[in-house]
Structures are given as C-alpha cells and as structure tokens.
Amino acid sequence: MLLAWYQTHARSLPWRDAPEPYATWLSEVILQQTQVATGTAYWHRFLKHYPTVEDLASAPIESVMGLWKGLGYYSRARNLHAAARSVVHDRRGELPILAKDWQQLPGVGEYTAAAIASICHGEPVPVVDGNVQRVLARLFDILDPVDRKAGRDAIRSWSEALISHEDPGSSNQAWMELGATVCKPKNPQCGECPVQVGCLARKRDTWSARPVKQAKKPPVAMTVLFLVSLRHHKGAWEWWVERRPERGIWGGLECFPATMKEEPAPTEWNGKAALGPFQHALTHRKLTGWFVLDAGAHIAPDGQEKQHGEWVQLEDDERAWPRMVEKVLSELRAWTVKN
Ligand code: SF4
C-alpha cells in the first residue's frame, strides 16, 4: 500500500533517478539542515566541481568551505571533506557498502549510513529521521517522548518491523516522503494518507499532540564582541580576519577575533566605536552581537601575523563567515570606513 503510493507520489529529485553512493551521500549531507529547493542547487554545484570522491578529497578545504557558503552548519562540509580523504587514503577510494562501515566515516551518523546503504545497496536497515518519527508516533499513537530512550526504542522497533525486505530503499524513502508531504507537523492530509485506516492518532484525534517531545531548555542568552581592526594599505581598506579553531562554535570559519560572554550588556569598549546590537539564534544560544573597532592589540608582531590570521580587503567576498557576521557585512563595511 505504502510502496504503491510512493511509486505514484514520490517527488522527482535528481539524486533519486539512478541512485549512486557518492551522489546519494552528498544529497543526504546537504539536505540534513537544508530545504530541498536550496539543497538541490548546491548538490548540482558540488557534483560539478567534485564529480568523484577523489576530486573532493584532493580539493583544498578552503575551496570546499567556499562552495558550501550560504548553507550554514559548516561542520558538515568539514566532515564531508575529511570523510572523502579517509575513503581515498584508508579505503583505496572505495566507498563503504554496509551501513556499519559508512558510520566509520567522519560526520556519517546512523541516519545517513542507513539511507545510503538501503537506497544504493538494498540493505534492510531502517532510516529514522524527524519525518519518520512523526509518522510512526502518530500511526501507533506513541506516548513516550521521541527524544528519550523509551520513545526512541519504540520508534526503532516499529521501523524495523515495517521495513520492506524486498525493496528497503524505496520503503525507507516512502516513510520519509509520507512525513514530508502528507503527515506534516501541522494540518496532516489524513484523507490522502495511504496508512489512514490503521492510524491510531487519527482514530483518537491525538495527531496534534504526537510526537510527544520532552520540554527543551530555553537557549542561553549570550553577548558576542567582535573586534574589528582596520587599516588602509596600498590604497585599499583591509580588516583583520582569523580562522576559528576547528572545535567549538563557528569551527573552521573565518571571523574577526570574538569573545563571548553570558553578561547581557558589554561596556568594555570605552570610547571605541561600536555597531550593534544584532540578534542571532543558534540551537542552544541566543546571541546578541556587537562589532567594536579595535586598535589591534591582539595582532601578533609583524612576521607572525600569518599564523593567526591575515589582513583581508573589505570587498573580498571569498570568505566563509559565520552567518551572524555574513548577514551584516555590507552594513559593517560602510560603518568601519566611516568611523
Ligand atoms: Fe499522519 Fe493522518 Fe496519516 Fe495518521 S492518517 S499517519 S496522522 S497523515
């Protein structure tokens, strides 16, 4: 029933036509936090620049990050690149086949591994994403929170019981597609749903309360001070940009030196020009940003500068900035020069 529905209702997506492991892997990573319409354009771009895993592995990380620009969650790009290198160096360029082997690669979790292994190699491992979670929590009217062990176990057992062993790839995609297009968070189209007859949440009218989720902690309010050093050099304005450490917030991105504090209102720029506040929400933090024109005391003496960062022309558009900075770059360019 569900598979028949999928054959006629599946959206036509380019990576579905003739699933191939490398292209499927790319699509899964790109779509993790990205809408299909935006992700499709990036998927085409990536395949054009890096048609094979070898091409991706031999590309400089800066180029990969540059191509990722605008997608956010840059750790995905870093992991993708590291995983491609691992495939080339440790596996002689051969992509894994089984889900458990895919999971050995950086950034490939249970979900991505199951998706690739089932779609490209027919391994009967269920894929459980947010869409599948919602459909199953409604279908079986699961009361346990799906972000806690009991709820997760219930969803997993049902997904294992329901997967088709004849066509696991289509079966997984069908459940995901049902959640994405019919059993939506608000206003599910129950009248169009291929599993409506067996749906307990529909029968009991509990769908709006499923899936149950544990109350989340509110995000922590934090203030970020970006220190902007400026110089006029060989007829052009330049500012000082550093690469952030790989681990932690905005890992590997380029940015002004930044400090983050829990106090709500910083006062320490004493007389220096400051631009802000700018609000930006992350998953666990609510950020308020200020840009402060700084004398540049943090910059190492001449000759050591390159170890930490570099002077970059204001108009240089090749950087992978944190989204919070990228949003205000043009305002910042005008403001720094004026001050
Ligand atoms: Fe979701 Fe409605 Fe289908 Fe139940 S019948 S799975 S609530 S769309």
Side-chain angles (χ1 to χ4, degrees), residues 88-279:
V88 169
H89 296 136
D90 308 332
R91 304 181 53 92
R92 299 190 314 278
E94 282 183 27
L95 290 165
I97 292 176
L98 297 175
K100 70 174 177 50
D101 296 327
W102 273 100
Q103 277 196 64
Q104 304 302 314
L105 296 177
V108 180
E110 202 178 343
Y111 162 84
T112 308
I116 306 168
S118 65
I119 294 169
C120 301
H121 301 293
E123 186 181 350
V125 276
V127 174
V128 180
D129 68 351
N131 285 322
V132 175
Q133 234 179 28
R134 184 172 56 258
V135 177
L136 296 184
R138 287 175 174 170
L139 191 54
F140 300 104
D141 203 24
I142 295 172
L143 274 167
D144 290 307
V146 293
D147 45 6
R148 290 292 175 270
K149 186 173 182 310
R152 268 200 303 272
D153 288 351
I155 298 278
R156 173 140 295 275
S157 309
W158 280 117
S159 62
E160 280 169 359
L162 290 170
I163 192 169
S164 154
H165 283 247
E166 282 74 48
D167 190 354
S170 298
S171 170
N172 277 333
Q173 291 184 93
W175 286 110
M176 290 190 275
E177 191 79 355
L178 185 63
T181 61
V182 176
C183 192
K184 297 184 193 178
K186 290 179 190 155
N187 304 323
Q189 310 293 304
C190 299
E192 323 259 307
C193 178
V195 296
Q196 57 180 287
V197 176
C199 180
L200 289 179
R202 185 179 194 217
K203 205 171 286 171
R204 297 170 185 167
D205 197 23
T206 52
W207 63 264
S208 60
R210 305 287 177 271
V212 177
K213 290 198 175 159
Q214 194 89 342
K216 284 206 181 95
K217 281 195 213 152
V220 181
M222 307 207 68
T223 300
V224 197
L225 283 189
F226 296 99
L227 303 176
V228 184
S229 296
L230 205 64
R231 76 173 187 185
H232 200 252
H233 185 65
K234 295 188 180 166
W237 284 103
E238 296 179 332
W239 48 26
W240 180 256
V241 175
E242 296 181 353
R243 179 181 288 262
R244 294 191 54 86
E246 290 296 326
R247 290 183 173 275
I249 186 167
W250 302 322
L253 298 189
E254 290 170 283
C255 192
F256 307 112
T259 49
M260 200 173 292
K261 302 165 178 286
E262 281 199 30
E263 291 104 57
T267 53
E268 62 211 63
W269 53 73
N270 296 330
K272 292 174 186 165
L275 179 70
F278 296 101
Q279 310 296 338

